[in-house]
Amino acid sequence: MIKVLTTICMIGIATSGCTSKKSTQAQVELANKGELTMLVGTYTSGTSKGIYTYRFNEESGIAVPLSETEIGNPSYLIPSADGRMVYAVSEFGDKHAAVYAFALDQSNGTLRLLNSQPTNGEDPCYLLTNGKNVVTANYSGGSISVLPIAKDGSLLPASRVLKFEGSGSDKERQEKAHLHCVSITPDGKYLLANDLGTDQIYKYNIHPNTGADNPDPFLTKGSPESFQVAPGSGPRHLIFSSDGTFAYLINELAGTVVAFTYKDGNLKEFQTIAADTVGAKGSADIHISPDGKFLYASNRLQADGIAIFRINPANGLLTKVGYQLTGIHPRNFVITPNGKYLLAACRDSNVIQVYERNTDTGLLTDIQKDIKLDKPVCLKFVP
């Protein structure tokens, strides 16, 4: 059962209704005040209920709670491009593994459940949407699932589940395929799927018109079908530079960041640099600052923190410039659109830490405005 419990912050904007026009008006008013709607996904084995929304001020670094929505293990979630919808995985290793669709009212941060659909793949841990489909990465299922989106934003049953086989050199962590991330290339032509278990990044051609009203296959195998990284790497998350010419991969097991050039659907590796220097095998998330000057990568299990790299704008090469210790298990983090703050979701410290970024050096300063919450693991700002 999904329950929505709401606490509304009095910020001087309308809080009734949920229409497209009002949602747009709310977005404009919030943007003018430096207010962002922030979504937080959690693990629910403790006291957390599921998804939490906050109003975060990107000028002051202050967060105000808005609402909470009960859903089991929403470990990863995304808003739609227009900010009206939210899709969240429910990470379970059995028949309860699913994706949920919600309508979001940005004026008060509330989520209204539309429906849910099973992923038919165990432990979904990541998802994306192109507006017509939602695609999940199913970690234990070793698969990705494609779910068409109906006109009202709800989800239709999975149209396709792509299952992967194989193993890697790490006998404990790579005993089979473990899909951990899906991403769409900057040109919109390809979907890349990171397999931690086999050290491969699979490539698929995207057919953008496929959706609820067009049953043609959304994904077909690309050429080449995959890109191989070093044995025992454990590819986790992949991001692209804002101009689309470079891609950066964080490897969970090797603790390295791999830099690639990207062109016409092809990745070409040109640098590997350490993010985890203690061999913890727990590297997690990776993001680039909005100005494109710095890259950040989180590490867990030992020396928990965030490695900081400067990006050479001419050739994409990374140079390590610092390391910020954080709370325990920084699984996910996010940078505000204005680049002023970095927020780290520290699962085992039960806190979201707020750091101010030095835009010249890239270094971080804890401003002691922690957001206390049990097992936070995913942070997203709504467009």
Side-chain angles (χ1 to χ4, degrees):
M1 179 180 293
I2 303 293
K3 298 180 181 178
V4 180
L5 308 173
T6 306
T7 304
I8 298 178
C9 162
M10 301 305 293
I11 56 175
I13 60 176
T15 58
S16 62
C18 186
T19 66
S20 175
K21 184 177 180 181
K22 287 185 177 180
S23 177
T24 301
Q25 290 173 341
Q27 288 172 319
V28 172
E29 291 183 31
L30 291 171
N32 289 338
K33 297 179 180 181
E35 302 278 359
L36 304 171
T37 302
M38 183 172 73
L39 306 168
V40 183
T42 66
Y43 279 123
T44 54
S45 57
T47 60
S48 283
K49 302 297 183 182
I51 300 173
Y52 293 77
T53 62
Y54 292 83
R55 194 74 75 216
F56 185 84
N57 189 296
E58 64 175 343
E59 297 301 331
S60 68
I62 295 174
V64 177
L66 296 178
S67 73
E68 62 182 49
T69 302
E70 289 193 20
I71 168 180
N73 287 350
S75 63
Y76 201 85
L77 48 80
I78 51 166
S80 60
D82 62 7
R84 297 177 59 198
M85 306 296 303
V86 174
Y87 299 99
V89 302
S90 187
E91 185 180 338
F92 288 101
D94 54 21
K95 62 182 179 181
H96 298 294
V99 183
Y100 284 76
F102 299 91
L104 171 65
D105 184 347
Q106 283 207 57
S107 67
N108 57 28
T110 57
L111 295 171
R112 176 172 58 87
L113 175 67
L114 297 180
N115 74 333
S116 67
Q117 294 287 355
T119 56
N120 301 315
E122 298 169 313
D123 291 315
C125 61
Y126 198 100
L127 78 168
L128 60 76
T129 180
N130 70 338
K132 290 180 175 290
N133 297 274
V134 166
V135 183
T136 69
N138 310 314
Y139 183 81
S140 298
S143 61
I144 60 176
S145 304
V146 179
L147 298 94
I149 299 173
K151 290 183 178 180
D152 66 352
S154 63
L155 294 166
L156 300 178
S159 61
R160 197 172 184 193
V161 178
L162 300 171
K163 178 80 173 177
F164 299 90
E165 304 293 339
S167 60
S169 60
D170 188 319
K171 301 306 179 185
E172 292 184 2
R173 297 292 309 280
Q174 296 181 308
E175 79 289 358
K176 64 175 184 177
H178 288 300
L179 273 291
H180 218 308
C181 173
V182 284
S183 54
I184 293 176
T185 55
D187 51 25
K189 295 180 179 180
Y190 307 96
L191 180 135
L192 303 178
N194 298 355
D195 185 355
L196 181 146
T198 66
D199 296 316
Q200 293 186 82
I201 301 172
Y202 292 98
K203 184 174 80 169
Y204 286 87
N205 304 308
I206 291 177
H207 301 273
N209 294 324
T210 300
D213 55 354
N214 184 350
D216 292 338
F218 175 54
L219 303 174
T220 55
K221 287 186 178 181
S223 178
E225 293 184 6
S226 67
F227 304 98
Q228 188 80 40
V229 295
S233 292
R236 186 176 168 101
H237 288 182
L238 182 77
I239 56 168
F240 288 89
S241 59
S242 59
D243 64 3
T245 58
F246 302 110
Y248 299 93
L249 170 72
I250 182 71
N251 288 310
E252 179 170 345
L253 303 182
T256 55
V257 175
V258 179
F260 303 89
T261 56
Y262 174 76
K263 186 177 181 180
D264 299 330
N266 291 303
L267 294 173
K268 184 177 180 180
E269 180 179 339
F270 66 88
Q271 183 188 22
T272 298
I273 190 169
D276 164 22
T277 60
V278 298
K281 294 187 175 183
S283 295
D285 203 11
I286 186 169
H287 293 286
I288 295 173
S289 59
D291 60 13
K293 295 180 180 179
F294 296 95
L295 180 144
Y296 299 83
S298 66
N299 300 296
R300 306 162 296 170
L301 305 183
Q302 295 180 49
D304 293 31
I306 296 175
I308 305 166
F309 302 90
R310 185 183 296 274
I311 303 173
N312 185 317
N315 54 25
L317 285 169
L318 301 175
T319 302
K320 192 171 184 179
V321 295
Y323 195 90
Q324 176 64 51
L325 294 174
T326 65
I328 304 171
H329 210 94
R331 178 184 173 101
N332 176 248
F333 64 94
V334 67
I335 302 172
T336 55
N338 67 356
K340 186 173 182 178
Y341 297 105
L342 181 151
L343 286 73
C346 300
R347 187 193 71 181
D348 294 352
S349 290
N350 302 315
V351 67
I352 300 167
Q353 294 177 313
V354 183
Y355 294 91
E356 187 168 4
R357 289 183 60 250
N358 184 310
T359 55
D360 293 324
T361 66
L363 301 182
L364 304 173
T365 301
D366 188 346
I367 63 171
Q368 304 297 317
K369 292 182 180 179
D370 291 354
I371 304 167
K372 302 294 179 65
L373 183 62
D374 193 65
K375 294 183 172 57
V377 290
C378 183
L379 308 174
K380 294 289 183 181
F381 290 121
V382 181

